[in-house]
Amino acid sequence: MTAPSRRSTASSPGSLIARIWHGVTPAARAEEYTDYLYRTGVPECRATPGNRGVYVLRRIQNDRAEFTFLSLWESLDAIRRFAGEDYEKARYFPEDRDFLLELEPSVEHYDVVARD
């Protein structure tokens, strides 16, 4: 069960918000989808003012490749610049539908409370 995350504000200087999205592809398309992410979501996210980092995690289990896209942001306003006004809605690129087994409707946001 996912609770609403609208309480994340990252309003203190130096604070961050983590935006987390999950997706699943067939394992046979894992490399192809990884390449696609590095041509679409990763560079667009990194180019958005207020982005403080992007991490793409992947694990392959049996016939599925599970992806976690983690981006770090300085504020909700920065997230809105990337995701739009409805920032809790997942943002998809045109070919995502060709790869993903389902399209999750939303993302999760967390305040980063410990970091290097």
Side-chain angles (χ1 to χ4, degrees), residues 40-54 73 81-82:
T40 57
V42 170
E44 191 160 329
C45 195
R46 286 180 175 155
T48 303
N51 177 264
R52 295 294 175 249
V54 176
W73 301 90
R81 284 191 285 274
F82 172 74

Side-chain angles (χ1 to χ4, degrees), residues 37-93:
L37 286 174
Y38 277 92
R39 291 189 320 270
T40 57
V42 170
E44 191 160 329
C45 195
R46 286 180 175 155
T48 303
N51 177 264
R52 295 294 175 249
V54 176
Y55 299 87
V56 178
L57 311 176
R58 180 182 78 187
R59 73 177 178 171
I60 298 175
Q61 291 195 302
N62 302 317
D63 61 345
R64 296 165 48 101
E66 300 172 8
F67 289 84
T68 299
F69 191 106
L70 171 83
S71 54
L72 300 173
W73 301 90
E74 65 184 24
S75 67
L76 289 177
D77 287 336
I79 293 171
R80 284 185 189 99
R81 284 191 285 274
F82 172 74
E85 200 56 37
D86 189 3
Y87 65 91
E88 291 201 357
K89 183 178 176 184
R91 179 173 175 204
Y92 290 100
F93 290 83

Side-chain angles (χ1 to χ4, degrees), residues 23-43:
V24 178
T25 68
R29 298 197 70 192
E31 287 300 323
E32 186 182 3
Y33 189 65
T34 300
D35 292 343
Y36 175 72
L37 286 174
Y38 277 92
R39 291 189 320 270
T40 57
V42 170

